[in-house]
Amino acid sequence: DAGVIQSPRHEVTEMGQEVTLRCKPISGHDYLFWYRQTMMRGLELLIYFNNNVPIDDSGMPEDRFSAKMPNASFSTLKIQPSEPRDSAVYFCASKPKGLQGPKPNYGYTFGSGTRLTVV
Amino acid sequence: AQKITQTQPGMFVQEKEAVTLDCTYDTSDPSYGLFWYKQPSSGEMIFLIYQGSYDQQNATEGRYSLNFQKARKSANLVISASQLGDSAMYFCAMRGSIGGTSYGKLTFGQGTILTVHP
């Protein structure tokens, strides 16, 4: 299995531009999570999906952020318009259904992250 | 709501010594899971160890052990025989139980930067 695949790995964009981050979860995983990591705020959960349905989006910072999961194998996180304070590393993670996944990671698998820089 | 607290922004340890990274948590879920992750400078999130709230024994994985004290709501990570490669950011995280308000999602602490000195 290729694991959770995020693209792009790095993104540099100008303030005001639209940015789209992409994630392909592990096949068969029912849950998908989007996290944002910054020095000031640490790792924040932005939104998560179960069976393609958004369950909790309370972490989405504002209306400029939107996330979709059109099917079980693809999700996007979009920022429009982007601002310098959106600069962060964005992680996607997925997990199978059930209370406790198998070893070694008990189900949660993280992608390599997308480092976003808004100038 | 779940809350994870890591009160040590940075820790230093001498190579080959043991170090304890602190983690306390708060939750109203009847059962939960506790995780520790390592994030080296390369940025990836590496799973280290897991403890279920009803597990009778403290979890161990090689040089990593979890000192789980349920009554105190603490889940400290102990790294024995520290190595230079252990220098990294370490995160404690919690997952809620089925039927709880936080099922499925991982809530993270602020992290502790560990530096291992030769």
Side-chain angles (χ1 to χ4, degrees), chain A residues 2-116:
Chain A
V4 176
I5 299 173
Q6 291 186 245
S7 63
R9 288 297 307 275
H10 302 275
E11 176 80 37
V12 180
T13 190
E14 291 186 347
M15 182 174 63
Q17 296 297 307
E18 177 179 294
V19 175
T20 299
L21 311 182
R22 297 172 175 80
C23 176
K24 177 178 169 56
I26 290 176
S27 177
H29 279 195
D30 289 355
Y31 287 85
L32 184 138
F33 307 85
W34 282 101
Y35 286 89
R36 178 173 68 175
Q37 184 178 21
T38 60
M39 289 292 292
M40 291 299 295
R41 301 175 70 89
L43 267 164
E44 303 172 275
L45 177 66
L46 300 177
I47 185 171
Y48 77 100
F49 296 84
N50 181 17
N51 291 323
N52 312 338
V53 176
I55 302 300
D56 183 352
D57 66 353
S58 59
M60 296 286 265
E62 49 197 273
D63 292 345
R64 298 186 297 107
F65 285 69
S66 63
K68 294 182 179 179
M69 193 164 186
N71 56 62
S73 59
F74 184 65
S75 177
T76 59
L77 178 67
K78 187 175 294 187
I79 309 172
Q80 165 64 19
S82 57
E83 296 182 3
R85 60 192 168 120
D86 301 330
S87 297
V89 178
Y90 292 81
F91 285 100
C92 176
S94 70
K95 170 191 168 316
K97 69 179 179 182
L99 181 61
Q100 183 169 309
K103 287 189 175 184
N105 58 7
Y106 293 87
Y108 294 91
T109 303
F110 283 79
S112 299
T114 294
R115 182 173 296 276
L116 173 65

Side-chain angles (χ1 to χ4, degrees), chain B residues 85-102:
Chain B
D86 294 335
S87 293
M89 174 78 90
Y90 289 80
F91 290 100
C92 181
M94 178 166 62
R95 179 219 66 220
S97 65
I98 292 177
T101 59
S102 304

